[in-house]
Amino acid sequence: MDQRPSLTLLLLLLGLSQANGNEIHDELDHVSITSTILESNNGTNELLLEGDILAPRTRNAMKCFSSQYSCLWRKSIDGLVYVPYILSNVFSSLEVETIEKSMKYFHGKTCIRFLPRRRQTAYLDIQSSGGCFSSMGTVGDRQTLSLAQFGCVQHGIIQHELLHSLGFYHEHTRSDRDQYIRINWQYIYDYAVDNFQKQDTNNLNTTYDYSSVMHYDRTAFTNNYGKETITPIPDSSVAIGQRLGMSDIDVLRVNKLYQC
């Protein structure tokens, strides 16, 4: 029997399958970090500031990065900043590989070194707690960082949360932001207004970074589908809200803050 029609059909189905897979992959690539984080954190019982900063029970984490308050990880005598961590055993081997790869990017660009915890009292506890969020810097001995397995274990999101754990705010709340963006308060849900308040930040003499992995996207917390809550100025066409990973200025700030 001639098998060529069956082979042709098989190849056609395979091609359609691959095409659909690529469409799904492309669609995911265009979902911003902010959108993914906010969707993952929807319904969480945790008290979160700015959408994904875990509110501490002992003090105000939002003063972590001010000129009068510090919650930075300590630098060792060898000039490196060691951040001990533990990983929940719920993560698959592939998820562990993704998390560790995102950490190692810091190792190649900064003096930060994430390493498995031994007996250190201050450490980062990386869990899968139903959302993407982190403590701000070192708040007490145990810092929590959550990476929900469905949605959060992505390179850009992991680096976003790790930067929070190192003491960094969102870019859109920095003290000089009004020179670079306009907040469209009328399109922000009432419950989310506090997520757009300016903070008393030390900007480390670095320029405002629309491409920062810490920047909210244009429609974060919008109450009107498609309406922007954040508009860049003076050029409203500037891209914001990327999801690939740390920008060059993100790396520069880590090195400045920790004097690498």
Side-chain angles (χ1 to χ4, degrees):
M1 179 180 293
D2 188 353
Q3 297 296 319
R4 284 178 295 179
S6 298
L7 179 59
T8 301
L9 179 60
L10 178 60
L11 291 174
L12 177 61
L13 292 174
L14 179 60
L16 289 174
S17 175
Q18 290 176 334
N20 289 336
N22 288 337
E23 289 174 4
I24 293 171
H25 185 268
D26 290 343
E27 183 179 348
L28 289 174
D29 279 347
H30 286 86
V31 178
S32 73
I33 281 180
T34 308
S35 299
T36 304
I37 289 175
L38 296 182
E39 183 176 352
S40 296
N41 292 347
N42 184 32
T44 182
N45 293 324
E46 298 286 357
L47 177 58
L48 302 177
L49 309 173
E50 292 191 9
D52 69 332
I53 299 174
L54 185 62
R57 302 181 186 281
T58 56
R59 53 182 175 166
N60 183 5
M62 300 310 290
K63 297 300 292 183
C64 171
F65 199 34
S66 73
S67 58
Q68 298 178 335
Y69 195 92
S70 177
C71 57
L72 305 182
W73 296 85
R74 293 182 180 180
K75 179 178 284 189
S76 178
I77 57 174
D78 62 6
L80 299 176
V81 178
Y82 295 100
V83 181
Y85 70 89
I86 61 174
L87 272 176
S88 170
N89 58 14
V90 303
F91 292 110
S92 68
S93 58
L94 181 58
E95 289 167 337
V96 171
E97 181 181 351
T98 302
I99 294 169
E100 291 179 344
K101 183 177 180 180
S102 299
M103 289 177 168
K104 287 178 181 177
Y105 187 85
F106 285 83
H107 301 181
K109 299 284 187 177
T110 75
C111 61
I112 305 298
R113 298 293 184 272
F114 295 98
L115 76 169
R117 181 198 181 206
R118 292 182 180 177
R119 293 181 295 275
Q120 298 92 335
T121 55
Y123 65 97
L124 194 58
D125 184 1
I126 303 176
Q127 311 168 358
S128 177
S129 302
C132 321
F133 52 83
S134 175
S135 303
M136 172 76 80
T138 54
V139 184
D141 292 334
R142 172 181 167 272
Q143 281 57 252
T144 299
L145 190 155
S146 174
L147 297 170
Q149 292 172 278
F150 301 102
C152 300
V153 186
Q154 304 175 30
H155 183 70
I157 291 178
I158 295 167
Q159 290 191 344
H160 180 105
E161 300 304 338
L162 288 174
L163 283 169
H164 279 321
S165 75
L166 291 174
F168 286 92
Y169 293 93
H170 291 122
E171 187 74 355
H172 77 283
T173 64
R174 58 183 273 172
S175 57
D176 62 349
R177 63 97 182 275
D178 291 337
Q179 302 175 45
Y180 306 96
I181 59 173
R182 180 178 69 253
I183 304 299
N184 303 311
W185 300 100
Q186 70 274 27
Y187 297 130
I188 300 173
Y189 280 111
D190 290 342
Y191 72 84
V193 167
D194 287 345
N195 297 320
F196 293 82
Q197 302 296 338
K198 285 189 295 186
Q199 302 299 332
D200 179 20
T201 57
N202 174 1
N203 299 320
L204 300 166
N205 294 318
T206 60
T207 60
Y208 191 90
D209 186 13
Y210 297 106
S211 65
S212 172
V213 76
M214 305 303 287
H215 207 302
Y216 268 23
D217 65 28
R218 290 174 179 270
T219 59
F221 288 108
T222 185
N223 61 19
N224 191 332
Y225 182 78
K227 296 294 186 180
E228 294 183 354
T229 53
I230 301 175
T231 301
I233 54 176
D235 183 3
S236 61
S237 66
V238 172
I240 61 175
Q242 59 92 6
R243 68 185 291 257
L244 298 178
M246 289 193 294
S247 69
D248 290 342
I249 297 179
D250 287 329
V251 172
L252 174 64
R253 286 181 188 146
V254 173
N255 287 324
K256 278 179 168 282
L257 182 62
Y258 283 92
Q259 299 179 3
C260 295

